[in-house]
Amino acid sequence: MSTCSTVSRDLQEPLAGTAATARTWLLLEQPGPWGAKALTSSHLDPALGRALEKAAKGTGVRIALIRRPGRHADCGSPAERRVYVAHTVPGNCWLHTATITDPHRLLGLDFAALGRGDHRTVGTALDGRPHPGGPLALVCTNGKRDRCCALLGRPLAAELAASGLEGVWEVTHLGGHRFSPTLLVLPYGYAYGRVGAHAVGEILHGVREGRIVVDGCRGSSAWERPGQAAELAVRTTTGERAADALSVVRTDGAAPRWKVTVAHADGRRWRVVVAQGASLPPRPESCGTSVLGSPARMEVLTVRELSMAAALAG
């Protein structure tokens, strides 16, 4: 059976620079079925979903629904819901959690503060606290968004949960369903595509040690897509794997060409030239449409380490 994900894999579409962009993630547990636009088409009050979308707009916060892996009986609203909030910018990565009974409490959050990386509102609005466990592995399984997410994502989430791996959740939408099964790992915010259970285990093991696995990585959600590709290119060039080591500090230019400055925590800097190209030949970008497209792809042209004088000059 040909799907958007099999076509993308067969055509070897590159993964780097394809992650969703979000400095901060807000995750709300919502069991049961999800529609294509889950915030307004699930058992969550659609008026609340619209209010949350409005509150988060322009703040750098992205909201998604999560549920435990397994069968999703249509059993109405849960008495308690788990909430996670994670900030992904290096040097200030954090993951906080809370348990709530009324999801309307989320409207009490200061979304602008969350986008800036200030976690105090999680405590004041939700009685939240730092997450005491390990990293979260979020597998996209929203089949109403694209069938590949259900066909490939749900079995992966179930296999991970059955293996005893902690922190595994199904999530509504991570973008790029043609890269299914897709994965987001928090708190660092790196997204992965075409992952198997063994790879997820390695990725989570690395995160627990503060390391990033580059194989299969789509990029960090903390950066826009040219920055995602540039940061991964520097990691590939230098072998740097420490999660908090690299930051995108400047992006000059506009599509289809950018000059991205990537900085190391030790003071080194690199200038990375990234160009936007089109993936050819045209292919289905989603299983929900018969229209063929040429999705944008980030192509790294050069990676050059700057001298200290050039780095200081910006």
Side-chain angles (χ1 to χ4, degrees), residues 88-112:
T88 64
V89 176
N92 188 33
C93 287
W94 48 260
L95 175 60
H96 284 224
T97 187
T99 300
I100 61 175
T101 56
D102 181 4
H104 288 82
R105 291 180 63 186
L106 296 179
L107 293 175
L109 290 166
D110 184 337
F111 283 84

Side-chain angles (χ1 to χ4, degrees), residues 70-124:
R71 297 186 62 186
H72 307 298
D74 195 349
C75 55
S77 300
E80 292 186 333
R81 304 167 188 256
R82 176 71 67 178
V83 175
Y84 293 101
V85 188
H87 189 63
T88 64
V89 176
N92 188 33
C93 287
W94 48 260
L95 175 60
H96 284 224
T97 187
T99 300
I100 61 175
T101 56
D102 181 4
H104 288 82
R105 291 180 63 186
L106 296 179
L107 293 175
L109 290 166
D110 184 337
F111 283 84
L114 289 178
R116 294 192 301 267
D118 185 345
H119 58 69
R120 290 174 294 181
T121 184
V122 183
T124 55

Side-chain angles (χ1 to χ4, degrees), residues 249-261:
V249 296
R250 182 169 176 171
T251 301
D252 297 307
R257 190 182 179 93
W258 300 266
K259 291 182 179 179
V260 182
T261 304

Side-chain angles (χ1 to χ4, degrees), residues 1-313:
M1 176 178 62
S2 179
T3 62
C4 67
S5 60
T6 57
V7 172
S8 176
R9 186 188 297 268
D10 290 345
L11 292 177
Q12 299 181 326
E13 185 178 351
L15 293 167
T18 66
T21 300
R23 293 190 301 273
T24 303
W25 290 84
L26 171 59
L27 309 173
L28 170 65
E29 183 177 4
Q30 178 57 64
W34 297 333
K37 296 182 178 180
L39 271 181
T40 54
S41 54
S42 69
H43 284 311
L44 186 69
D45 177 1
L48 172 60
R50 288 189 291 270
L52 289 171
E53 288 177 334
K54 182 178 179 180
K57 187 175 181 180
T59 65
V61 178
R62 181 168 174 137
I63 306 172
L65 303 182
I66 57 174
R67 63 190 176 196
R68 301 286 186 182
R71 297 186 62 186
H72 307 298
D74 195 349
C75 55
S77 300
E80 292 186 333
R81 304 167 188 256
R82 176 71 67 178
V83 175
Y84 293 101
V85 188
H87 189 63
T88 64
V89 176
N92 188 33
C93 287
W94 48 260
L95 175 60
H96 284 224
T97 187
T99 300
I100 61 175
T101 56
D102 181 4
H104 288 82
R105 291 180 63 186
L106 296 179
L107 293 175
L109 290 166
D110 184 337
F111 283 84
L114 289 178
R116 294 192 301 267
D118 185 345
H119 58 69
R120 290 174 294 181
T121 184
V122 183
T124 55
L126 306 179
D127 299 319
R129 64 191 188 281
H131 174 54
L136 302 184
L138 307 166
V139 182
C140 182
T141 63
N142 192 353
K144 291 296 176 68
R145 190 84 180 207
D146 189 279
R147 63 177 176 171
C148 285
C149 298
L151 291 173
L152 300 174
R154 289 190 65 185
L156 174 62
E159 181 179 357
L160 293 173
S163 72
L165 200 62
E166 295 182 354
V168 178
W169 293 84
E170 298 186 8
V171 68
T172 46
H173 185 52
L174 298 177
H177 27 250
R178 64 188 183 278
F179 304 122
S180 294
T182 58
L183 173 78
L184 176 71
V185 180
L186 295 177
Y188 296 124
Y190 282 84
Y192 293 83
R194 305 178 188 137
V195 290
H198 179 70
V200 175
E202 291 184 350
I203 291 166
L204 292 183
H205 177 72
V207 169
R208 283 190 287 270
E209 296 184 345
R211 294 184 293 102
I212 298 303
V213 172
V214 172
D215 291 345
C217 192
R218 299 173 60 195
S220 166
S221 73
W223 319 125
E224 298 292 335
R225 293 187 175 184
Q228 294 173 11
E231 189 230 10
L232 288 176
V234 172
R235 288 191 180 278
T236 299
T237 300
T238 63
E240 180 59 71
R241 296 296 181 265
D244 274 344
L246 299 178
S247 295
V248 175
V249 296
R250 182 169 176 171
T251 301
D252 297 307
R257 190 182 179 93
W258 300 266
K259 291 182 179 179
V260 182
T261 304
V262 178
H264 195 287
D266 65 11
R268 288 178 292 162
R269 293 197 174 199
W270 294 263
R271 182 67 44 76
V272 184
V273 177
V274 180
Q276 179 176 298
S279 295
L280 297 173
R283 78 286 307 274
E285 296 183 53
S286 171
C287 291
T289 177
S290 59
V291 178
L292 301 183
S294 300
R297 58 195 290 170
M298 295 295 131
E299 300 175 354
V300 173
L301 303 183
T302 60
V303 179
R304 178 171 64 91
E305 185 172 356
L306 300 177
S307 65
M308 187 58 67
L312 291 174

